Amino acid sequence: MKIRGMKRRDIDAVLEIEKLSFSAPWSRRSMLMELNNAVAHYYVLLENAEVRAYIGLWLSFDEAHITNIAVHPEHRGRKLGTVLMLYAMAAANRLGAESMTLEVREGNERAQRMYYKLDFDKQGFRPRYYSDTGEGAYILWNRNIKKTLEKNEAIVSRFILE
């Protein structure tokens, strides 16, 4: 496995994962705009040179905001989401972030379990946040990503940050 910054040539694979993962996937235009967004940082997880998962974050001062994360359905259950989250935390920390936030669907218990294991806590709720279903979103925060990285050093040390 390898994780690297997302490139333009990865867009088709990422959009395929988007379509398989979300009822309202991001558009090609949105993804391309993110690659040119100065505060955005996107990464892909490759296995056998194929994109298996991706994650995106925005960096604002000392905070990182996860914009999206998805693992190809055929590769779920292998902890790839956890690996990507830790990689994103390490990248954000290296860029000066101390904390990280995200929104998660109130019904996505699998993702919530992963986030709680990575020291995220519920800090709020956005009703009807997801326009495709009207589902609400929990607002989660990890206020000390460095501590989470230290706790998960065995995983983090396997990946060299670009």
Side-chain angles (χ1 to χ4, degrees):
M1 272 192 287
K2 177 183 177 182
I3 300 173
R4 64 161 168 76
M6 186 188 298
K7 299 178 192 290
R8 194 177 182 92
R9 69 176 184 255
D10 300 319
I11 295 291
D12 287 338
V14 167
L15 288 174
E16 180 65 19
I17 294 170
E18 273 280 307
K19 282 189 250 173
L20 294 168
S21 301
F22 304 113
S23 56
W26 281 32
S27 68
R28 175 178 299 279
R29 183 174 183 266
S30 294
M31 283 289 177
L32 289 170
M33 286 175 53
E34 285 296 276
L35 288 180
N36 293 315
N37 179 346
V39 301
H41 303 269
Y42 280 75
Y43 305 97
V44 291
L45 185 146
L46 304 165
E47 187 176 50
N48 301 323
E50 304 243 350
V51 176
R52 302 290 193 222
Y54 76 97
I55 191 167
L57 66 90
W58 291 339
L59 191 64
S60 179
F61 302 101
D62 64 346
E63 297 176 357
H65 180 120
I66 297 296
T67 57
N68 45 9
I69 178 173
V71 176
H72 192 287
E74 293 177 6
H75 300 281
R76 291 183 185 153
R78 297 175 51 208
K79 307 282 187 211
L80 301 183
T82 299
V83 168
L84 264 181
M85 281 295 297
L86 288 167
Y87 186 91
M89 286 179 167
N93 186 249
R94 183 186 59 149
L95 294 167
E98 298 173 6
S99 60
M100 183 174 273
T101 186
L102 56 87
E103 291 88 12
V104 61
R105 286 180 188 266
E106 62 185 309
N108 191 345
E109 294 175 8
R110 185 179 198 174
Q112 289 173 40
R113 282 191 301 274
M114 175 185 69
Y115 298 136
Y116 298 146
K117 286 179 185 175
L118 294 173
D119 305 322
F120 283 84
D121 293 311
K122 283 183 194 170
Q123 299 289 314
F125 183 74
R126 297 186 199 282
R128 296 173 302 285
Y129 182 74
Y130 295 97
S131 60
D132 58 332
T133 63
E135 190 173 8
Y138 293 116
I139 304 166
L140 304 183
W141 277 93
N142 177 322
R143 300 286 184 180
N144 189 344
I145 58 177
K146 187 174 183 179
K147 181 178 175 185
T148 302
L149 291 168
E150 289 169 356
K151 189 167 83 173
N152 291 280
E153 178 61 29
I155 297 170
V156 175
S157 65
R158 289 192 271 167
F159 297 97
I160 299 169
L161 293 176
E162 296 178 343

